[in-house]
Amino acid sequence: MTEGESPSVPAQAAGSQRLAILLAMAMFVLVVDTSLMNVSISAVVRDLDTTVSGVQSAIALEALVSAAFILIGSKVGDLIGRKRAYVLGLLGYAVGALAMTLAQGLTAIIIFWAVVGGIGASLLLPAMQSLIHGNFEGAAQVKAYALVGAAAAIAAAVGPLLGGFITTYLSWRVGFLLEILIIAIVLSGIKLVRDAPYTGPREVDLVGAVLSVLGMGGIVLGILVWQEGGESVAALLAVGAIAMAALVFWLTRRKRQGKPTLLDPDLFKSKHFRLGITQQMLQQIALGGTMIALPIYLQMVLEYNALLSLSMFGMALLAGRRAGTRRPSSIIRLGFALLTVGMLLLLPIVPRADSGWWLLVPLLIAGSGLGLLVSQLNNYTLAPISEERVSEAAGVNSAGGSFGLSFGLAFAGAIMLATLSVTFTDMAEHSTVLPPAEQQQVAQALEDDAELMSNTQLEEQLKGQPEQIQDEIIRINTDARPLALQVALLVPILASLVGLANSFRMVRLPDVKPSGSVEGMALG
């Protein structure tokens, strides 16, 4: 490119800054959409005269569709262009949000929000990572990944708060209308996006596509059914695992025969890529476990989730800006170390905490660690990947993160509620105050709705009982919770410890210079 054709460096920097902000806005919509739906369940049920299970099924279906088609979505991005896939993904979300704004029944929500929106997510996630990889270089790329990751963190924090406020004082429909406006703003800057052409084979690997749907879909569906206490969990997980193993065999065989594949198995020959995917999944397991265990325990989702995510947001931005010449692997090691320390500090504090302020320092430490990971992991994982293969790699990266988050949410939540139920029942049975009839009543109530069983709700259920019995049940409910939270926190602690161990392997590997970067792009 000649000097006359090249834009000035300040103009490039300004354009890059705007693009990074717009990509972060797109990620914000992607994350906040599900949060908004979750906090609007009761209002949607009331306004549309439907059922809670129906709306929850729509939410589960959206997660299932996006996970099942995410590897296919990355290949579609190769064939039609990453920029076009990004636009179609945003439009899919816009259609879903519009359906929520205008819906008069559950059918429209299932078709347009769950299915169309889920397919939109499967296109949007890998395309977004590919576009960051292809439109930024060096420090600018790190900052862009940090900004987008921070936007996801802040969306997780303010999503319930924003949704609760809008649902309470306006209407849940207004929240989805605001999503449409944000998407319109993002699309207005689409000319800033540079689309890297795909030069690989254009044949479609149909068998690989079907196996990927069965594999990711079976595993995620198994996790969702497990989270809801359903049956056939083992069968679903087995189908998913077998399909994933078959996919690996199929891809390897096709590659050996020189035939087109859904994704290139040679991607996994890179130690950096394998470690990056593993660390991404572990980070998301830790995040999911923390963000389900603490809210259930505290019954105050907004304040303490916001504390964790706001610290992630601040540290991700700071790390993206100040990383400089520091090795990404060293920053990742520090991130997992801080996450581990923060989680471990919570264990002895939980039984003694009578206020959320006791959790301030551990959550700031853990959130700072997660922020460091957010700022570096995507960049580290995709750095050794060529421009031609980046969409496939981004799809695998997104799939690993989605699986980790789903697993962390389901596993930590399930073992917390199981521990709470067992502990509560055991304490009730050994109480010298409660007669046998009250013991059974309380145990059954907890088993039916353990995650929502606050002291206030117990008091409502126990109206008419003698005050002595009410006080004993409230005492047992209060004493049982710390142990349940401590057991649940073992999930993010174990994930962070494994991530910390892996980070020492990462540090021993030489740094990889990102490939396929765009000359002259910087964020200042």
Side-chain angles (χ1 to χ4, degrees), residues 51-127:
T51 63
V52 171
S53 61
V55 178
Q56 288 177 331
S57 297
I59 294 173
L61 180 61
E62 194 272 344
L64 178 62
V65 170
S66 61
F69 289 94
I70 198 163
L71 293 179
I72 298 176
S74 66
K75 186 62 177 180
V76 170
D78 287 341
L79 298 178
I80 68 174
R82 288 81 182 251
K83 182 176 179 179
R84 188 172 295 172
Y86 172 70
V87 172
L88 288 175
L90 285 171
L91 291 176
Y93 262 84
V95 168
L98 182 62
M100 292 301 299
T101 305
L102 303 176
Q104 300 301 312
L106 185 60
T107 302
I109 294 176
I110 290 175
I111 294 174
F112 296 107
W113 184 82
V115 177
V116 176
I119 292 174
S122 69
L123 290 170
L124 185 58
L125 275 169

Side-chain angles (χ1 to χ4, degrees), residues 302-319:
L302 309 181
E303 291 184 20
Y304 306 128
N305 250 5
L307 179 64
L308 178 70
S309 294
L310 286 171
S311 58
M312 283 178 62
F313 177 74
M315 184 56 69
L317 291 181
L318 180 63

